[in-house]
Amino acid sequence: MAERAPPLIVGAGPAGIRAAMTLVAAGLRPIVVDEGHACGGQIYRQPLSSDGRDAEARYGSEAAKALRLHRDFAALDTLIDYRPRSLLWNLRDGAGDILRDEGSQRVRYDGLILATGATDRVLPIPGWTLPGVFTLGGAQIALKAQGCAIGRRVVFAGSGPLLYLVAWQYMRAGVEVAAVLDAAPLSAKFNLLRALPLSPGIVLRGVRMAAELKLRGTRVVFGADRLAIEGEGRVARIVYQAGGRAHAIACDGVGYGLNLRSETQAADLAGCAFHFEPRDRAHLPVRDASGRSSAAGVYLAGDGARIAGADAAERAGERAALALLEDRGLPHDSSRAAVLERELQRIDRLRDVLEAAFPYPSHWGGDIADDTLLCRCEEISAGEARRAVSDFSLTEINRLKAVTRIGMGRCQGRMCGAAAAELLAAQTRRDIGAVGRLRAQAPIKPIPLAAGLSVHERQHDPAH
Amino acid sequence: MTRRIDCDVAIIGGGLVGSSAALALRGMGFSVTLLDKGFCGAQASGVNYGGVRRQGRPPEQLPLSQRAHAIWPRLKALIGIDGEFLRSGHLKLARSAADMASLESYAADVAPFGLALELVGHNQLRDRFGVAGEVIGGSFCPGDGHANPRLVATAFAAAARRAGAEVLENTKVIGLTRNGAGFALEAEGVSVTARTVINSAGAWADSFARAFGEPVPLERTYPSMVVTEPLDPFLGVNIGIEGGGIYARQVTRGNVVVGGERALPLDDPDYSRPRSDGVLTIMQRASELFGPLRHAQAIRFWSGTEATMPDRNPVIGPSATTPGLIHAFGFSGAGFQIAPGVGEVLAELVRDGRTATPIDVFAITRFPPASQPGDASQAAMTTGSKETSP
Ligand SMILES: Cc1cc2nc3c(=O)[nH]c(=O)nc-3n(C[C@H](O)[C@H](O)[C@H](O)COP(=O)(O)OP(=O)(O)OC[C@H]3O[C@@H](n4cnc5c(N)ncnc54)[C@H](O)[C@@H]3O)c2cc1C
């Protein structure tokens, strides 16, 4: 009897790490692919080279979790087939294509756990492509992985828990944080009271961060609207409206973002069904409480399935791995699975509250000024998009892509897709869920044409 | 609630064939209903490689192809956009003496049609066209070119709508019956009566033909496409290769589109996805042929669903069993260039029952009739189940 192929885990963040541990504990030897040079994912990202800072300085309050995950993953070293700096660029029929060092390899797997994480969600605002503007996540990674700040006097703007966290981390790193511009009104923040019984730690930490920022002189603004970043060739100031008045703040760096969006292309290529999730304003792969997707043998965990944060990701990774074991007919701990599902439910309720406390400024999608660049890869403005919508009577996002090139560039819609959908929905007065979702196409990220050369120099995989 | 429409002509399929026919028919004053199961121009016509080439076509297609050739430069006036049409020239490369000989004999065969083919040698390929790699010569057709398929078919449908055609998208035709002087056509949410029906349903057209006793050996093919990030201009012409392999063009924005190989259908054979080894092969061939591609990135792959006939020629013309039914499908990987001409021809068939452009070789009667031909006056079809060809 032919030996079964190993399971494949995509992503070595909290979800992927816990999934790998669980599979190893059951005697399997999974393949783990990750684009990063070291494990940890975005949140627990490790520096490229040691910069003298310790984990406390790098991860703050999350240092203990980060260290534990790094250590646990290191302990798997000889027990898994770990492939860092490797891009999974296509998936189909039980095999994945993995690019590493310019060569592509086709890898067969039996059981797939997608722990692909998230990236920042942005809506274009005037000046968002000026040098000196970073996404919130990008600003955080600069600090964590490279130990550098995005500016000397920085403003953070947008929405989501990350807004305050990154601002606070910058402040702690000694950067002058001029302002935190929160798109949500203060009234939304009272929702946090509802979160207290669910997770007092998180709420209090958030409140403390905001308070510390204020104490250090950071201006904290609620209900900041009509953001625009200005400057000649690079960021000089950010302007906004609040309380019916226009304001401006001088700065040389801006961190901006509206929470996160799930990386779902791999799930799409793996054949998972999608559904619209109003809370995330996004189409997400369908999954049940265990992480099973609609496609047999494909499991979803972490922010790649739905934004829920690192703690949920750890649990979801473990839970999905247990489901994989069960489906393989291997012994698995079902009481542990039940505990994990309960904890995931609790975190999910917390996310509901956080979403209410950091609501997405849905009116922004209709407000994007015509001359604002919507798709920066293909350099398409909001006005061009609107013209195409009316000229061709468009109602669906893939048609908008087809006639404008929005989402066809290097980022394949990861950056502009959400904004294009919001704009289309606003212009056609449809619900955001009704405009459809950009269908994923390989390659998930750009791959060198030379990858074709290297694959043919090697022997072909006879199984293929 | 079912909407009722009565019109002169109902067109099944809003690809470039159906949409250009709709526009031409409106120009003649007919009332037209154009129906597509999805969005107009979302299938083959909107996702093809974009080659607008006459060179390499079977000679019997050239009169029609020449007719279309005259339409392409007039797109702006016709549909409001130029569709990014570039008369770049089409250069077909030969990798061997045998291939070169076949280019030479093709050039001799089609000389009467006026394509102005120019045979070029190895040195000229490098100096004039920047082609490296193991190529010994080529044939250049200066009047051919390329365009942006995503825009052209969509814009034809939009122009037809502006001209007064009823364009119904997301409206799948699920039943077609011949009744009295015309047809009753059933689609989701609408029933249409029409004197004439045009079957331009692309890779889905065979079920409509079969239902009227005219089965055709239509197969589906799924060509694969690779597109690079934008690069500095280095490729002015549209490239083909004798005997196949890849084809390549560079768009004004700088991206290079390279086609070749075949994709595989997904579980739902209406959709397909390039095979990984297929795209890697395309990438390999392209980077061997063009130096600037060696350091480029591929940003996107795609494929589309095309109807292919065994003799590589389309079916164009009246049904042999059913008066009022006109077929136009099976363009076998080369319908983009020719489609605007086909649209005009179809309109003439509706208006005059004939056309001056020779199309007899494309008659559906060249395929053996059904063993049990349907009774034309009673024939009806219902789709719904998925039609797949091997
Ligand atoms: C990837 C690819 C590359 C190609 N490259 C080139 C090229 O470079 N140059 C060239 O000349 N040609 C090329 N071709 C071929 C060319 O695209 C086709 O020949 C041409 O577009 C066919 O047009 P059509 O209108 O017949 O089909 P389509 O564009 O497929 O239109 C048929 C329409 O019918 C609709 N339909 C089907 N069934 C129903 C129903 N029951 N009810 C309602 N609507 C229905 C479909 O939704 C579809 O929109 C290529 C094709 C592909 C797939």
Side-chain angles (χ1 to χ4, degrees):
Chain A
M1 203 184 81
E3 218 182 295
R4 287 182 79 162
L8 173 64
I9 298 172
V10 184
I17 292 174
R18 289 290 172 231
M21 285 178 63
T22 310
L23 296 184
V24 166
L28 294 177
R29 184 186 166 81
I31 305 168
V32 180
V33 294
D34 191 86
E35 277 179 274
H37 67 101
C39 78
Q42 305 294 6
I43 179 155
Y44 304 127
R45 187 185 275 250
Q46 302 187 50
L48 284 165
S49 57
S50 165
D51 55 5
R53 292 186 304 154
D54 64 6
E56 287 294 328
R58 183 166 296 118
Y59 306 111
S61 57
E62 309 304 291
K65 286 182 201 165
L67 287 176
R68 198 165 57 234
L69 279 164
H70 295 159
R71 195 187 54 225
D72 288 350
F73 194 70
L76 299 178
D77 191 36
T78 57
L79 305 170
I80 62 175
D81 177 354
Y82 171 44
R83 305 182 185 197
R85 294 188 315 278
S86 298
L87 170 70
L88 175 99
W89 61 268
N90 197 10
L91 271 176
R92 174 126 188 236
D93 295 339
D97 294 287
I98 295 165
L99 179 78
R100 187 176 183 182
D101 299 336
E102 297 224 326
S104 185
Q105 234 183 339
R106 196 158 176 77
V107 172
R108 300 214 68 81
Y109 60 81
D110 186 347
L112 174 66
I113 298 180
L114 295 174
T116 46
T119 49
D120 293 87
R121 178 168 61 181
V122 291
L123 281 184
I125 52 177
W128 73 295
T129 54
L130 276 176
V133 184
F134 290 73
T135 60
L136 289 171
Q140 195 183 38
I141 279 164
L143 196 63
K144 250 187 303 205
Q146 275 116 348
C148 61
I150 61 169
R152 289 208 181 82
R153 181 179 155 85
V154 182
V155 171
F156 292 97
S159 184
L162 205 55
L163 178 65
Y164 291 87
L165 177 64
V166 182
W168 182 82
Q169 287 170 336
Y170 264 69
M171 179 196 79
R172 289 278 302 241
V175 178
E176 182 189 354
V177 179
V180 172
L181 307 179
D182 189 329
L186 180 61
S187 58
K189 296 295 177 277
F190 294 114
N191 281 294
L192 289 172
L193 291 174
R194 292 198 290 134
L196 262 174
L198 292 164
S199 182
I202 287 192
V203 176
L204 295 177
R205 190 162 356 121
V207 172
R208 199 188 71 220
M209 284 175 184
E212 287 186 26
L213 281 159
K214 280 199 133 165
L215 273 175
R216 290 271 205 102
T218 297
R219 195 188 310 178
V220 177
V221 179
F222 298 102
D225 201 6
R226 303 258 161 200
L227 297 185
I229 299 159
E230 297 177 348
E232 293 295 319
R234 74 160 287 122
V235 172
R237 81 196 70 81
I238 183 165
V239 300
Y240 63 96
Q241 285 186 8
R245 285 187 40 217
H247 306 264
I249 300 176
C251 58
D252 62 359
V254 173
Y256 165 63
L258 299 165
N259 218 334
L260 301 174
R261 52 162 287 282
S262 300
E263 282 287 6
T264 57
Q265 302 110 295
D268 203 351
L269 294 174
C272 298
F274 279 63
H275 70 129
F276 182 73
E277 184 51 68
R279 190 182 80 192
D280 293 55
R281 297 179 77 78
H283 287 84
L284 296 174
V286 176
R287 62 166 174 175
D288 66 11
S290 70
R292 288 180 177 91
S293 77
S294 65
V298 181
Y299 309 84
L300 307 162
D303 278 356
R306 191 184 187 191
I307 305 301
D311 294 347
E314 281 194 49
R315 290 166 176 81
E318 183 180 353
R319 179 65 191 93
L322 291 173
L324 184 150
L325 294 174
E326 182 179 5
D327 294 348
R328 264 206 178 198
L330 291 170
H332 67 285
D333 186 342
S334 51
S335 57
R336 174 73 184 151
V339 169
L340 289 167
E341 284 184 26
R342 270 201 305 281
E343 292 184 7
L344 284 165
Q345 269 172 23
R346 179 182 55 80
I347 298 176
D348 198 55
R349 285 200 301 278
L350 176 67
R351 293 309 299 187
D352 285 341
V353 178
L354 288 181
E355 205 53 50
F358 296 95
Y360 183 79
S362 50
H363 65 285
W364 286 20
D367 290 348
I368 300 172
D370 273 348
D371 58 357
T372 301
L373 211 55
L374 181 61
C375 167
R376 60 180 185 181
C377 300
E378 292 296 321
E379 301 173 319
I380 314 290
S381 70
E384 287 172 75
R386 290 202 176 99
R387 239 182 342 272
V389 170
S390 57
D391 284 357
F392 294 102
S393 319
L394 302 176
T395 53
E396 200 268 343
I397 187 77
N398 290 287
R399 297 307 295 151
L400 178 61
K401 170 179 169 176
V403 299
T404 58
R405 287 200 176 90
I406 285 169
M408 266 193 193
R410 294 183 60 95
C411 91
Q412 287 294 291
R414 279 188 299 279
M415 286 300 123
C416 56
E422 295 284 350
L423 177 141
L424 177 58
Q427 192 180 346
T428 57
R429 298 180 194 288
R430 296 163 138 248
D431 191 78
I432 179 68
V435 299
R437 69 186 177 91
L438 284 176
R439 284 185 296 270
Q441 274 157 330
I444 284 177
K445 288 187 182 168
I447 61 173
L449 261 74
L453 291 175
S454 59
V455 82
H456 288 272
E457 282 159 11
R458 280 205 321 273
Q459 278 292 309
H460 259 298
D461 175 0
H464 179 60
Chain B
M1 207 185 67
T2 302
R3 205 178 138 202
R4 289 178 192 287
I5 299 176
D6 182 50
C7 61
D8 298 325
V9 188
I11 302 175
I12 309 172
L16 193 46
V17 171
S19 299
S20 61
L23 183 62
L25 284 162
R26 279 304 303 148
M28 295 174 178
F30 291 98
S31 59
V32 177
T33 308
L34 176 65
L35 304 104
D36 201 289
K37 68 181 174 60
F39 291 100
C40 290
Q43 292 293 343
S45 301
V47 300
N48 63 66
Y49 159 75
V52 180
R53 108 194 125 71
R54 297 160 295 166
Q55 171 163 243
R57 286 181 190 274
E60 59 272 20
Q61 283 188 21
L62 287 176
L64 184 54
S65 185
Q66 287 291 52
R67 184 169 181 170
H69 179 69
I71 299 173
W72 280 95
R74 295 196 288 109
L75 285 190
K76 179 89 191 156
L78 197 60
I79 59 172
I81 58 164
D82 66 8
E84 297 176 13
F85 172 61
L86 282 179
R87 190 159 269 179
S88 60
H90 176 254
L91 176 66
K92 193 150 213 177
L93 303 173
R95 286 165 298 192
S96 67
D99 287 346
M100 194 63 209
S102 115
L103 288 182
E104 281 160 9
S105 81
Y106 180 80
D109 287 351
V110 303
F113 295 101
L115 304 192
L117 297 184
E118 184 192 339
L119 295 165
V120 291
H122 174 77
N123 290 347
Q124 273 210 49
L125 285 182
R126 189 178 300 258
D127 302 343
R128 251 174 93 186
F129 302 111
V131 179
E134 316 231 318
V135 204
I136 65 161
S139 167
F140 184 58
C141 184
D144 285 354
H146 52 111
N148 185 338
R150 294 180 284 102
L151 300 177
V152 176
T154 315
F156 261 100
R161 178 182 277 137
R162 283 196 301 273
E166 184 81 60
V167 179
L168 303 176
E169 298 186 309
N170 293 312
T171 309
K172 181 177 182 178
V173 178
I174 47 178
L176 179 62
T177 329
R178 171 90 204 160
N179 74 346
F183 295 86
L185 184 150
E186 286 305 319
E188 289 152 7
V190 52
S191 51
V192 182
T193 50
R195 260 197 308 289
T196 306
V197 166
I198 293 176
N199 171 21
S200 55
W204 299 264
D206 51 342
S207 58
F208 292 99
R210 189 181 323 111
F212 290 93
E214 299 178 294
V216 282
L218 179 151
E219 289 201 11
R220 287 177 169 195
T221 49
Y222 309 91
S224 294
M225 303 289 143
V226 170
V227 62
T228 72
E229 63 192 330
L231 303 169
D232 288 341
F234 70 91
L235 183 60
V237 292
N238 177 11
I239 295 280
I241 297 182
E242 178 65 10
I246 57 165
Y247 30 103
R249 65 189 185 97
Q250 186 171 25
V251 308
T252 313
R253 168 150 175 81
N255 310 72
V256 180
V257 184
V258 192
E261 298 287 314
R262 284 285 148 83
L264 284 174
L266 296 173
D267 293 342
D268 176 350
D270 284 5
Y271 298 93
S272 61
R273 197 185 294 152
R275 297 184 341 261
S276 301
D277 57 346
V279 286
L280 288 168
T281 302
I282 296 172
M283 285 159 56
Q284 177 214 7
R285 290 182 185 149
S287 50
E288 278 168 359
L289 213 50
F290 305 104
L293 290 185
R294 256 164 237 158
H295 304 289
Q297 306 258 333
I299 61 173
R300 200 160 55 90
F301 308 144
W302 83 90
S303 68
T305 308
E306 163 73 326
T308 301
M309 309 309 292
D311 60 3
R312 321 281 308 159
N313 272 328
V315 173
I316 305 172
S319 156
T321 61
T322 312
L325 176 64
I326 301 173
H327 299 294
F329 59 82
F331 289 87
S332 305
F336 184 55
Q337 187 273 344
I338 214 166
V342 178
E344 289 188 354
V345 162
L346 293 172
E348 287 166 1
L349 290 176
V350 171
R351 185 188 57 191
D352 310 328
R354 53 179 298 281
T355 171
T357 305
I359 55 163
D360 288 352
V361 283
F362 309 131
I364 195 162
T365 47
R366 72 185 190 273
F367 302 108
S371 43
Q372 291 165 306
D375 177 344
S377 61
Q378 296 297 310
M381 66 83 56
T382 309
T383 59
S385 65
K386 291 218 174 70
E387 304 291 341
T388 330
S389 38

